[in-house]
Amino acid sequence: MEPDDTKLQFDDDGNLRHLLSLRDFDATLLTRLMDEAEAYLTAPGALPARNHSLAGRTVGNLFFEPSTRTRASFDLAGRRLGADVLNLDVNTSSRKKGESILDTIYTLEAMQVDIMVVRDASDGVPAYIARHVKDHVSVLNAGESDVSHPTQGLLDLLTMRQHNPDFGNLAVAIVGDIQHSRVAMSASEALRAMGVGELRLISPPALIPDASRFPGAVIVDNLADGLRDADVVMALRIQRERIGNLDGIPGIDEYFANYGISHESMKLAKPDAIVMHPGPMNRGIEIEGTLADGPRSVIAKQVTNGVAIRMAVLSRIGKMMSAQ
Ligand code: NCD
């Protein structure tokens, strides 16, 4: 996202028009979105929340990178708000035949798709599309290269708030391939806006990020230093698909021994600390399987919160559209 793209996200009245990044979100907006999402959560076993706030709208899911949970989550969120949802099959899409992304977008616009949910491996694609769509169309970033994954950042924030709403007293440790992680980027933008007590980013030396991308965070390459007395521990996958040269990247056993989140390494964190992972997870590499399935894990909660957060974002976009 370029500096002037800030204006792109909000309309003249300050309403959310496109969701490209959390960079410019303040605590008030983040809190409102989390509150709106909470209203969509129902008790286990109860039917999921539904309304008609997107009735008549069409959501297009354009995932030009693999996805299971984010795509399914946007799909369900759109349907539960009464929208038609179109899931574009990337393997058979005309982009494979060399069609430009804008031609794909203009084709969908011509079919009256008015909310485009986009995932792409290149930087700047969601903002580029947002700059070219018609005035009544909204673009939601569902994962952009290693730059931004705003709905993931929101759902992670909500999951942390459910554990402890006092962000100022929270120590959050994110462990793994920070350098290539859009999840770490969006989470850190959201946490900074909420005034998080401490954000620690832990990764092997070869995957240490550029500190200027994470202002205020403590960056370490030693797991014990990062985990000590943490309230929240989030494990991340090594983004092998984004790493050109794997030299210096630890192998599986070495990685688990030094950076794996396990029952053993969690002894360093606070006794009630929660364990998070955005998925897809590699058991036995970045996280011990029984820990991921155990009582400290909120991984399934993250997924549930993901649908609620996407419903909150979509219904806000729907309201903005109806007011136009
Ligand atoms: C992440 C993603 O795609 O950025 N997963 C997700 O959206 N739940 C993390 C990853 O791929 O490792």
Side-chain angles (χ1 to χ4, degrees), residues 69-70 119 149 152 182-183 237 239 278-280:
R69 67 215 83 221
T70 307
R119 167 171 288 199
H149 193 352
Q152 181 74 41
R182 55 195 179 203
V183 175
R237 182 178 69 86
Q239 306 273 304

Side-chain angles (χ1 to χ4, degrees), residues 89-100:
D89 184 346
V90 274
N91 291 316
T92 56
S93 102
S94 293
R95 248 186 116 190
K96 285 251 156 164
K97 299 184 189 167
E99 179 175 82
S100 79

Side-chain angles (χ1 to χ4, degrees), residues 1-9 20 23-24 127 131:
M1 206 166 99
E2 291 167 28
D4 67 337
D5 289 338
T6 300
K7 283 180 262 148
L8 214 57
Q9 294 208 98
L20 305 176
R23 202 182 56 187
D24 304 305
R131 267 185 253 117

Side-chain angles (χ1 to χ4, degrees), residues 163-164 169-173 198 200 227-233 266 269-270 272-275:
H163 174 60
N164 181 354
N169 276 316
L170 219 56
V172 177
E198 248 188 284
R200 306 170 192 163
L227 289 193
R228 202 156 289 120
D229 295 325
D231 298 278
V232 175
V233 177
M266 281 302 289
K270 291 238 180 90
D272 69 340
I274 52 168
V275 176

Side-chain angles (χ1 to χ4, degrees), residues 189-209:
E189 286 167 346
L191 286 167
R192 198 162 56 240
M194 297 307 294
V196 71
E198 248 188 284
L199 174 62
R200 306 170 192 163
L201 305 174
I202 309 153
S203 63
L207 298 168
I208 289 271

